[in-house]
């Protein structure tokens, strides 16, 4: 398996990276996402997804056979964040990590530090699966640069400290959680917010990222919203989630079934 990251390639070239969001602990749904042509990444959500480390390990094994880059959202924010979980996810072969609810530059620094080998960081060496599947020496040489590190801005404190957080070396960009951000601003949670306060915060985060050449990303609950965000220079957007895909498909089928059967 060649050590390469579609996500790093797309982000470095200034392109738009689309991703699937996975909350179901399943290699099969991971493969359904990973075989979708054109998708840049698949994110395994260990914060709100029903996924623990042993599921995440099976899922990265399934994902890494396909072009989209395997990314994980770690389960806990700082100070509860478990550095050894970060090490294990990277050792398992994840090539991107997302840290939820980042409030301060110190937290962003601690996150990056855990993702990067000495002398720049303090990641412990032992890439048990990553070294094996991505080719040992090549992995050690490339890992720090290739692994995408995104911090989530979704709290009032994160907004207050935005500039300092984005200034942390090694942070590739900000990923917005629109639901938590809405709640933080006193607005009902939404995966496609329209409230002016939330829209203004999203625009500010986008602007501050662009100024510094960092990536702005956002979790999107609707495709139209994702496209709208791309038009505003957001470059890491959600195209769909496994749970919503199943629910939506069944709702559509039920509606069609009921319509067809009542017209007979
Ligand atoms: C949010 O909207 O708060 C998220 O973290 C998306 O999962
Ligand atoms: Mg959130």
């Amino acid at each position: 398996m060649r050590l390469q990251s579609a996500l790093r390639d797309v982000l470095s070239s200034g392109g738009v990276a689309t991703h699937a969001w996975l909350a179901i602990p399943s290699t099969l749904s991971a493969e359904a996402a990973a075989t979708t042509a054109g998708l840049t990444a698949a994110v395994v959500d260990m914060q709100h997804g029903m996924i623990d480390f042993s599921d995440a390990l099976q899922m990265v094994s399934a994902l890494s056979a396909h072009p989209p880059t395997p990314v994980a959202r770690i389960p806990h924010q700082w100070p509860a964040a478990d550095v050894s979980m970060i090490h294990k996810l990277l050792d398992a072969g994840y090539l991107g990590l997302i840290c939820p609810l980042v409030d301060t530059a110190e937290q962003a620094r601690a996150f990056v530090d855990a993702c990067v080998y000495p002398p720049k960081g303090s990641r412990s060496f032992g890439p048990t699966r990553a070294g094996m599947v991505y080719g040992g020496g090549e992995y050690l040489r490339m890992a720090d640069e290739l692994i995408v590190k995104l911090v989530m801005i979704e709290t009032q404190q994160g907004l207050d400290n935005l500039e300092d957080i984005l200034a942390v070396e090694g942070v590739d960009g900000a990923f917005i959680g629109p639901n938590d951000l809405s709640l933080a601003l006193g607005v009902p949670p939404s995966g496609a917010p329209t409230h002016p306060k939330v829209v203004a915060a999203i625009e500010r985060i986008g602007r501050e990222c662009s100024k510094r050449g960092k990536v702005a990303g956002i979790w999107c609950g609707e495709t139209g919203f994702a496209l709208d965000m791309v038009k505003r220079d957001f470059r890491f957007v959600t195209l769909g989630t496994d749970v919503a895909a199943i629910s939506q498909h069944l709702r559509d089928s039920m509606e069609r079934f009921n319509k067809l059967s009542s017209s007979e």
Side-chain angles (χ1 to χ4, degrees):
M1 197 177 296
R2 209 165 72 79
L3 176 58
Q4 54 107 41
S5 162
L7 179 57
R8 177 55 81 203
D9 290 348
V10 169
L11 295 181
S12 304
S13 66
V16 173
T18 53
H19 62 262
W21 195 264
L22 302 171
I24 301 175
S26 160
T27 54
L28 191 59
S29 45
E31 283 172 324
T35 53
T36 304
L39 216 53
T40 318
V43 182
V44 170
D45 180 13
M46 299 180 74
Q47 186 197 20
H48 291 299
M50 303 295 115
I51 293 170
D52 63 22
F53 178 74
S54 48
D55 306 316
L57 171 60
Q58 303 299 322
M59 289 169 83
V60 75
S61 301
L63 289 171
S64 52
H66 301 283
T69 302
V71 174
R73 172 160 74 172
I74 63 171
H76 303 113
Q77 72 271 33
W78 253 265
D82 177 1
V83 165
S84 61
M85 174 64 83
I86 291 176
H87 294 170
K88 270 172 108 77
L89 288 166
L90 297 177
D91 292 344
Y94 282 92
L95 293 175
L97 291 182
I98 298 173
C99 183
L101 299 157
V102 173
D103 285 334
T104 64
E106 289 71 40
Q107 294 176 355
R109 220 171 278 120
F111 170 59
V112 171
D113 182 75
C115 295
V116 173
Y117 285 126
K120 285 196 166 167
S122 67
R123 178 179 172 191
S124 171
F125 186 74
T128 308
R129 179 173 179 275
M132 177 178 65
V133 297
Y134 299 132
E138 171 84 341
Y139 180 77
L140 178 59
R141 201 162 53 250
M142 298 295 293
D144 290 353
E145 194 183 311
L146 221 53
I147 290 162
V148 172
K149 304 156 222 53
L150 296 173
V151 293
M152 292 197 72
I153 302 295
E154 47 182 352
T155 62
Q156 184 59 57
Q157 224 192 323
L159 283 175
D160 294 344
N161 293 320
L162 179 65
E163 287 80 0
D164 291 346
I165 292 171
L166 290 178
V168 171
E169 198 189 328
V171 165
D172 286 293
F175 185 61
I176 300 175
N179 291 286
D180 278 316
L181 185 65
S182 298
L183 281 177
L185 297 173
V187 173
S190 167
T194 53
H195 192 286
K197 265 206 235 174
V198 184
V199 172
I202 290 172
E203 285 175 350
R204 179 181 154 228
I205 296 167
R207 255 193 329 272
E208 293 302 325
C209 285
S210 300
K211 260 195 223 165
R212 294 165 175 78
K214 303 242 168 170
V215 175
I218 184 161
W219 189 90
C220 303
E222 279 174 16
T223 312
F225 178 65
L227 189 59
D228 192 31
M229 291 293 95
V230 167
K231 285 184 188 151
R232 296 171 196 217
D233 281 342
F234 278 72
R235 302 204 286 118
F236 184 62
V237 293
T238 319
L239 279 203
T241 73
D242 49 6
V243 174
I246 295 171
S247 303
Q248 189 60 51
H249 179 71
L250 285 172
R251 269 199 303 274
D252 292 348
S253 292
M254 180 64 77
E255 198 180 315
R256 189 166 143 71
F257 181 81
N258 288 338
K259 206 187 273 170
L260 290 175
S261 50
S262 65
S263 66
E264 265 177 13

